[in-house]
Amino acid sequence: MQIIDLTRQTGCKIATFPDGEKHVTVDALDRKEPVSIVCRITCADDLFCLMQLGDILKRQEMEINTLFIGYLMSMRCDRLFDVNRPFSLKIVADAINAIGARHVQIVEPHSYRTMSLIKNSVGALATMEYFMNGILKSKELQLDVVAVMPDDGAKARYHIPNAIPSILCEKRRDPETGKLLSFEVCTKETDICKDKDLVLMDDLCDGGGTFLGLAPKLRELAPKSISLLVTHAIQFDGIKKVAQAYDRVFITNSYKEWGAEPELPDNVTVFKVFR
């Protein structure tokens, strides 16, 4: 199987013209062999590079077996909120569908609507349950875990093994501004949290407002520790803030490669979805 990795420019090169336009050139290809594509779509430039690659392969009548997407832009704009606003995820999905991959793997899709818009799509193996299992099996951590769902969306998204207890939280927003107003633990029986390692699970962390708001509520449950497990970490400042509020933070390199610049806090662990 031939692999073209746009994130590392393996099997291709990405140039930038003076006006800022990205331009993809692929290495020599065997037209008889299928191709797999690896990418992350964090911005319009990433999407345009993928569209260019799709054009190259389509004109050479090559089969695209798998399209692996580590991060998919516009996941949160998964419906039409207002007739005067764009349906951004559908725009992105239409561009991906035009490429014609037999299988589309998306790391941690935000909702089922993502999967319904993108043809032949499945959630990649690097789901939250995968990371949770990795944490539980870690000999260094030895955690006695209670899973924490920040809202109903997370509860619907994740399938926690029956052997792991869980609690549900909720947050209220101002419907006009979207500003977070309050945070609560909904589960009445919270004795299961005492002296346990609480692991709050979610898919996205921007500024970290939800997690910062829930941290003191979780501390009130007298746990041994509180940790945050989030797949798509977007902003360094957000990671830095939640790392101060939680004992441990687990993220992935789905959105970007987190290297030494800027240096992540010591209590942050990065799981690899891009090897």
Side-chain angles (χ1 to χ4, degrees), residues 192-204:
I192 59 172
C193 299
K194 185 177 177 60
D195 296 324
K196 300 291 186 179
D197 300 294
L198 305 187
V199 180
L200 178 61
M201 303 166 58
D202 211 352
D203 61 334
L204 290 156

Side-chain angles (χ1 to χ4, degrees), residues 90-104:
K90 188 175 187 305
I91 296 171
V92 175
D94 288 346
I96 292 171
N97 290 336
I99 292 170
R102 292 184 60 194
H103 309 283
V104 180

Side-chain angles (χ1 to χ4, degrees), residues 11-30:
C12 68
K13 295 179 180 62
I14 301 175
T16 303
F17 290 154
D19 64 356
E21 179 183 329
K22 301 296 181 180
H23 184 78
V24 176
T25 304
V26 301
D27 297 344
L29 293 168
D30 183 348

